[in-house]
PDB file of all heavy atoms in Angstrom:
ATOM      1  N   TYR N   1      93.557 110.983 125.469  1.00 97.00           N
ATOM      2  CA  TYR N   1      92.298 110.840 126.177  1.00 97.00           C
ATOM      3  C   TYR N   1      92.181 109.564 127.000  1.00 97.00           C
ATOM      4  O   TYR N   1      91.484 109.543 128.007  1.00 97.00           O
ATOM      5  CB  TYR N   1      91.126 110.864 125.173  1.00 97.00           C
ATOM      6  CG  TYR N   1      91.187 112.017 124.221  1.00 97.00           C
ATOM      7  CD1 TYR N   1      91.732 111.869 122.941  1.00 97.00           C
ATOM      8  CD2 TYR N   1      90.733 113.275 124.598  1.00 97.00           C
ATOM      9  CE1 TYR N   1      91.799 112.933 122.063  1.00 97.00           C
ATOM     10  CE2 TYR N   1      90.801 114.351 123.727  1.00 97.00           C
ATOM     11  CZ  TYR N   1      91.344 114.169 122.462  1.00 97.00           C
ATOM     12  OH  TYR N   1      91.421 115.231 121.605  1.00 97.00           O
ATOM     13  N   PHE N   2      92.814 108.503 126.516  1.00 97.00           N
ATOM     14  CA  PHE N   2      92.599 107.188 127.097  1.00 97.00           C
ATOM     15  C   PHE N   2      93.917 106.497 127.430  1.00 97.00           C
ATOM     16  O   PHE N   2      94.939 106.749 126.801  1.00 97.00           O
ATOM     17  CB  PHE N   2      91.847 106.275 126.105  1.00 97.00           C
ATOM     18  CG  PHE N   2      90.504 106.775 125.694  1.00 97.00           C
ATOM     19  CD1 PHE N   2      90.317 107.398 124.461  1.00 97.00           C
ATOM     20  CD2 PHE N   2      89.405 106.624 126.528  1.00 97.00           C
ATOM     21  CE1 PHE N   2      89.069 107.855 124.076  1.00 97.00           C
ATOM     22  CE2 PHE N   2      88.152 107.075 126.144  1.00 97.00           C
ATOM     23  CZ  PHE N   2      87.989 107.695 124.912  1.00 97.00           C
ATOM     24  N   ALA N   3      93.834 105.586 128.367  1.00 96.00           N
ATOM     25  CA  ALA N   3      94.920 104.639 128.615  1.00 96.00           C
ATOM     26  C   ALA N   3      94.566 103.368 127.842  1.00 96.00           C
ATOM     27  O   ALA N   3      93.405 103.114 127.538  1.00 96.00           O
ATOM     28  CB  ALA N   3      95.049 104.349 130.103  1.00 96.00           C
ATOM     29  N   PHE N   4      95.563 102.580 127.521  1.00 94.00           N
ATOM     30  CA  PHE N   4      95.390 101.358 126.737  1.00 94.00           C
ATOM     31  C   PHE N   4      95.307 100.180 127.685  1.00 94.00           C
ATOM     32  O   PHE N   4      96.214  99.933 128.470  1.00 94.00           O
ATOM     33  CB  PHE N   4      96.584 101.221 125.787  1.00 94.00           C
ATOM     34  CG  PHE N   4      96.555  99.986 124.941  1.00 94.00           C
ATOM     35  CD1 PHE N   4      95.677  99.873 123.884  1.00 94.00           C
ATOM     36  CD2 PHE N   4      97.419  98.948 125.208  1.00 94.00           C
ATOM     37  CE1 PHE N   4      95.661  98.746 123.094  1.00 94.00           C
ATOM     38  CE2 PHE N   4      97.406  97.809 124.434  1.00 94.00           C
ATOM     39  CZ  PHE N   4      96.527  97.705 123.363  1.00 94.00           C
ATOM     40  N   ASP N   5      94.208  99.416 127.615  1.00 94.00           N
ATOM     41  CA  ASP N   5      94.023  98.273 128.504  1.00 94.00           C
ATOM     42  C   ASP N   5      94.396  96.957 127.839  1.00 94.00           C
ATOM     43  O   ASP N   5      94.876  96.050 128.491  1.00 94.00           O
ATOM     44  CB  ASP N   5      92.572  98.223 128.983  1.00 94.00           C
ATOM     45  CG  ASP N   5      92.362  97.275 130.140  1.00 94.00           C
ATOM     46  OD1 ASP N   5      93.320  97.008 130.884  1.00 94.00           O
ATOM     47  OD2 ASP N   5      91.225  96.794 130.310  1.00 94.00           O
ATOM     48  N   GLY N   6      94.179  96.836 126.536  1.00 93.00           N
ATOM     49  CA  GLY N   6      94.529  95.597 125.857  1.00 93.00           C
ATOM     50  C   GLY N   6      93.935  95.529 124.473  1.00 93.00           C
ATOM     51  O   GLY N   6      93.132  96.371 124.068  1.00 93.00           O
ATOM     52  N   ILE N   7      94.373  94.491 123.744  1.00 91.00           N
ATOM     53  CA  ILE N   7      93.861  94.261 122.388  1.00 91.00           C
ATOM     54  C   ILE N   7      93.638  92.760 122.214  1.00 91.00           C
ATOM     55  O   ILE N   7      94.416  91.948 122.724  1.00 91.00           O
ATOM     56  CB  ILE N   7      94.828  94.822 121.320  1.00 91.00           C
ATOM     57  CG1 ILE N   7      94.228  94.728 119.923  1.00 91.00           C
ATOM     58  CG2 ILE N   7      96.172  94.109 121.389  1.00 91.00           C
ATOM     59  CD1 ILE N   7      95.000  95.523 118.874  1.00 91.00           C
ATOM     60  N   SER N   8      92.569  92.419 121.532  1.00 89.00           N
ATOM     61  CA  SER N   8      92.312  91.008 121.222  1.00 89.00           C
ATOM     62  C   SER N   8      91.999  90.905 119.737  1.00 89.00           C
ATOM     63  O   SER N   8      91.456  91.827 119.136  1.00 89.00           O
ATOM     64  CB  SER N   8      91.170  90.461 122.069  1.00 89.00           C
ATOM     65  OG  SER N   8      89.967  91.150 121.777  1.00 89.00           O
ATOM     66  N   PHE N   9      92.362  89.775 119.177  1.00 84.00           N
ATOM     67  CA  PHE N   9      92.127  89.521 117.766  1.00 84.00           C
ATOM     68  C   PHE N   9      91.126  88.380 117.652  1.00 84.00           C
ATOM     69  O   PHE N   9      91.183  87.419 118.410  1.00 84.00           O
ATOM     70  CB  PHE N   9      93.438  89.163 117.061  1.00 84.00           C
ATOM     71  CG  PHE N   9      94.437  90.279 117.106  1.00 84.00           C
ATOM     72  CD1 PHE N   9      95.394  90.325 118.105  1.00 84.00           C
ATOM     73  CD2 PHE N   9      94.412  91.296 116.164  1.00 84.00           C
ATOM     74  CE1 PHE N   9      96.313  91.353 118.161  1.00 84.00           C
ATOM     75  CE2 PHE N   9      95.327  92.338 116.218  1.00 84.00           C
ATOM     76  CZ  PHE N   9      96.278  92.363 117.223  1.00 84.00           C
ATOM     77  N   SER N  10      90.219  88.504 116.688  1.00 79.00           N
ATOM     78  CA  SER N  10      89.190  87.476 116.535  1.00 79.00           C
ATOM     79  C   SER N  10      88.706  87.432 115.095  1.00 79.00           C
ATOM     80  O   SER N  10      89.061  88.279 114.280  1.00 79.00           O
ATOM     81  CB  SER N  10      88.023  87.757 117.479  1.00 79.00           C
ATOM     82  OG  SER N  10      87.440  89.007 117.169  1.00 79.00           O
ATOM     83  N   LEU N  11      87.885  86.453 114.838  1.00 76.00           N
ATOM     84  CA  LEU N  11      87.268  86.278 113.533  1.00 76.00           C
ATOM     85  C   LEU N  11      85.865  86.872 113.600  1.00 76.00           C
ATOM     86  O   LEU N  11      85.089  86.548 114.503  1.00 76.00           O
ATOM     87  CB  LEU N  11      87.196  84.787 113.195  1.00 76.00           C
ATOM     88  CG  LEU N  11      86.783  84.402 111.790  1.00 76.00           C
ATOM     89  CD1 LEU N  11      87.777  84.941 110.766  1.00 76.00           C
ATOM     90  CD2 LEU N  11      86.703  82.888 111.663  1.00 76.00           C
ATOM     91  N   SER N  12      85.544  87.749 112.664  1.00 71.00           N
ATOM     92  CA  SER N  12      84.223  88.366 112.658  1.00 71.00           C
ATOM     93  C   SER N  12      83.152  87.324 112.355  1.00 71.00           C
ATOM     94  O   SER N  12      83.429  86.274 111.770  1.00 71.00           O
ATOM     95  CB  SER N  12      84.166  89.484 111.611  1.00 71.00           C
ATOM     96  OG  SER N  12      84.282  88.932 110.313  1.00 71.00           O
ATOM     97  N   GLN N  13      81.929  87.602 112.742  1.00 75.00           N
ATOM     98  CA  GLN N  13      80.815  86.685 112.507  1.00 75.00           C
ATOM     99  C   GLN N  13      80.629  86.443 111.011  1.00 75.00           C
ATOM    100  O   GLN N  13      80.385  85.316 110.587  1.00 75.00           O
ATOM    101  CB  GLN N  13      79.526  87.240 113.135  1.00 75.00           C
ATOM    102  CG  GLN N  13      78.352  86.299 113.041  1.00 75.00           C
ATOM    103  CD  GLN N  13      78.571  84.999 113.802  1.00 75.00           C
ATOM    104  OE1 GLN N  13      79.273  84.959 114.800  1.00 75.00           O
ATOM    105  NE2 GLN N  13      77.965  83.935 113.327  1.00 75.00           N
ATOM    106  N   LYS N  14      80.772  87.486 110.209  1.00 75.00           N
ATOM    107  CA  LYS N  14      80.602  87.357 108.754  1.00 75.00           C
ATOM    108  C   LYS N  14      81.667  86.427 108.170  1.00 75.00           C
ATOM    109  O   LYS N  14      81.355  85.540 107.368  1.00 75.00           O
ATOM    110  CB  LYS N  14      80.689  88.741 108.106  1.00 75.00           C
ATOM    111  CG  LYS N  14      80.467  88.745 106.621  1.00 75.00           C
ATOM    112  CD  LYS N  14      80.531  90.154 106.065  1.00 75.00           C
ATOM    113  CE  LYS N  14      80.364  90.165 104.556  1.00 75.00           C
ATOM    114  NZ  LYS N  14      80.445  91.524 104.017  1.00 75.00           N
ATOM    115  N   ALA N  15      82.921  86.601 108.581  1.00 70.00           N
ATOM    116  CA  ALA N  15      84.003  85.743 108.081  1.00 70.00           C
ATOM    117  C   ALA N  15      83.831  84.315 108.578  1.00 70.00           C
ATOM    118  O   ALA N  15      84.062  83.353 107.837  1.00 70.00           O
ATOM    119  CB  ALA N  15      85.356  86.301 108.515  1.00 70.00           C
ATOM    120  N   ARG N  16      83.422  84.159 109.828  1.00 70.00           N
ATOM    121  CA  ARG N  16      83.199  82.821 110.394  1.00 70.00           C
ATOM    122  C   ARG N  16      82.133  82.073 109.580  1.00 70.00           C
ATOM    123  O   ARG N  16      82.307  80.903 109.232  1.00 70.00           O
ATOM    124  CB  ARG N  16      82.764  82.933 111.857  1.00 70.00           C
ATOM    125  CG  ARG N  16      82.547  81.606 112.552  1.00 70.00           C
ATOM    126  CD  ARG N  16      82.034  81.774 113.981  1.00 70.00           C
ATOM    127  NE  ARG N  16      82.608  82.889 114.684  1.00 70.00           N
ATOM    128  CZ  ARG N  16      83.705  82.844 115.438  1.00 70.00           C
ATOM    129  NH1 ARG N  16      84.336  81.712 115.585  1.00 70.00           N
ATOM    130  NH2 ARG N  16      84.156  83.915 116.043  1.00 70.00           N
ATOM    131  N   GLN N  17      81.037  82.739 109.261  1.00 78.00           N
ATOM    132  CA  GLN N  17      79.963  82.116 108.491  1.00 78.00           C
ATOM    133  C   GLN N  17      80.446  81.741 107.101  1.00 78.00           C
ATOM    134  O   GLN N  17      80.133  80.650 106.607  1.00 78.00           O
ATOM    135  CB  GLN N  17      78.751  83.056 108.406  1.00 78.00           C
ATOM    136  CG  GLN N  17      77.537  82.417 107.770  1.00 78.00           C
ATOM    137  CD  GLN N  17      76.995  81.278 108.614  1.00 78.00           C
ATOM    138  OE1 GLN N  17      77.016  81.319 109.822  1.00 78.00           O
ATOM    139  NE2 GLN N  17      76.504  80.249 107.955  1.00 78.00           N
ATOM    140  N   ALA N  18      81.225  82.607 106.460  1.00 74.00           N
ATOM    141  CA  ALA N  18      81.741  82.315 105.125  1.00 74.00           C
ATOM    142  C   ALA N  18      82.658  81.099 105.143  1.00 74.00           C
ATOM    143  O   ALA N  18      82.588  80.241 104.254  1.00 74.00           O
ATOM    144  CB  ALA N  18      82.479  83.534 104.567  1.00 74.00           C
ATOM    145  N   VAL N  19      83.524  81.006 106.144  1.00 73.00           N
ATOM    146  CA  VAL N  19      84.439  79.866 106.253  1.00 73.00           C
ATOM    147  C   VAL N  19      83.657  78.583 106.501  1.00 73.00           C
ATOM    148  O   VAL N  19      83.921  77.550 105.875  1.00 73.00           O
ATOM    149  CB  VAL N  19      85.480  80.108 107.371  1.00 73.00           C
ATOM    150  CG1 VAL N  19      86.241  78.834 107.694  1.00 73.00           C
ATOM    151  CG2 VAL N  19      86.447  81.208 106.957  1.00 73.00           C
ATOM    152  N   GLN N  20      82.681  78.625 107.390  1.00 77.00           N
ATOM    153  CA  GLN N  20      81.883  77.431 107.669  1.00 77.00           C
ATOM    154  C   GLN N  20      81.139  76.957 106.426  1.00 77.00           C
ATOM    155  O   GLN N  20      81.124  75.767 106.110  1.00 77.00           O
ATOM    156  CB  GLN N  20      80.901  77.703 108.810  1.00 77.00           C
ATOM    157  CG  GLN N  20      81.562  77.790 110.155  1.00 77.00           C
ATOM    158  CD  GLN N  20      80.596  78.182 111.267  1.00 77.00           C
ATOM    159  OE1 GLN N  20      79.522  78.701 111.021  1.00 77.00           O
ATOM    160  NE2 GLN N  20      81.006  77.940 112.498  1.00 77.00           N
ATOM    161  N   THR N  21      80.554  77.878 105.693  1.00 80.00           N
ATOM    162  CA  THR N  21      79.836  77.525 104.469  1.00 80.00           C
ATOM    163  C   THR N  21      80.788  76.912 103.453  1.00 80.00           C
ATOM    164  O   THR N  21      80.483  75.886 102.830  1.00 80.00           O
ATOM    165  CB  THR N  21      79.140  78.770 103.882  1.00 80.00           C
ATOM    166  OG1 THR N  21      78.218  79.271 104.850  1.00 80.00           O
ATOM    167  CG2 THR N  21      78.412  78.445 102.591  1.00 80.00           C
ATOM    168  N   SER N  22      81.941  77.514 103.293  1.00 79.00           N
ATOM    169  CA  SER N  22      82.947  77.008 102.358  1.00 79.00           C
ATOM    170  C   SER N  22      83.407  75.605 102.741  1.00 79.00           C
ATOM    171  O   SER N  22      83.544  74.732 101.880  1.00 79.00           O
ATOM    172  CB  SER N  22      84.137  77.968 102.320  1.00 79.00           C
ATOM    173  OG  SER N  22      85.186  77.414 101.567  1.00 79.00           O
ATOM    174  N   LEU N  23      83.652  75.379 104.021  1.00 81.00           N
ATOM    175  CA  LEU N  23      84.109  74.060 104.475  1.00 81.00           C
ATOM    176  C   LEU N  23      83.031  72.990 104.285  1.00 81.00           C
ATOM    177  O   LEU N  23      83.332  71.859 103.892  1.00 81.00           O
ATOM    178  CB  LEU N  23      84.542  74.125 105.938  1.00 81.00           C
ATOM    179  CG  LEU N  23      85.829  74.894 106.209  1.00 81.00           C
ATOM    180  CD1 LEU N  23      86.061  75.028 107.711  1.00 81.00           C
ATOM    181  CD2 LEU N  23      87.014  74.239 105.529  1.00 81.00           C
ATOM    182  N   ILE N  24      81.787  73.337 104.542  1.00 81.00           N
ATOM    183  CA  ILE N  24      80.694  72.384 104.341  1.00 81.00           C
ATOM    184  C   ILE N  24      80.574  72.045 102.863  1.00 81.00           C
ATOM    185  O   ILE N  24      80.451  70.874 102.491  1.00 81.00           O
ATOM    186  CB  ILE N  24      79.371  72.928 104.915  1.00 81.00           C
ATOM    187  CG1 ILE N  24      79.437  72.945 106.439  1.00 81.00           C
ATOM    188  CG2 ILE N  24      78.179  72.095 104.424  1.00 81.00           C
ATOM    189  CD1 ILE N  24      78.284  73.680 107.099  1.00 81.00           C
ATOM    190  N   ASP N  25      80.635  73.073 101.998  1.00 77.00           N
ATOM    191  CA  ASP N  25      80.557  72.828 100.559  1.00 77.00           C
ATOM    192  C   ASP N  25      81.687  71.934 100.082  1.00 77.00           C
ATOM    193  O   ASP N  25      81.486  71.002  99.307  1.00 77.00           O
ATOM    194  CB  ASP N  25      80.588  74.159  99.793  1.00 77.00           C
ATOM    195  CG  ASP N  25      79.326  74.980  99.993  1.00 77.00           C
ATOM    196  OD1 ASP N  25      78.313  74.432 100.494  1.00 77.00           O
ATOM    197  OD2 ASP N  25      79.346  76.186  99.646  1.00 77.00           O
TER     198      ASP N  25
END
């Protein structure tokens, strides 16, 4: 159905918040 244009990898908002909280603690 589709052609492939690209893929990107990132950190989800939930994981980002957990890491920030952990680092602050």
Side-chain angles (χ1 to χ4, degrees):
Y1 310 97
F2 300 101
F4 179 73
D5 193 25
I7 187 168
S8 63
F9 298 94
S10 61
L11 189 62
S12 66
Q13 185 63 30
K14 183 178 178 181
R16 182 183 322 269
Q17 187 65 36
V19 168
Q20 287 175 342
T21 300
S22 172
L23 290 173
I24 290 170
D25 291 346

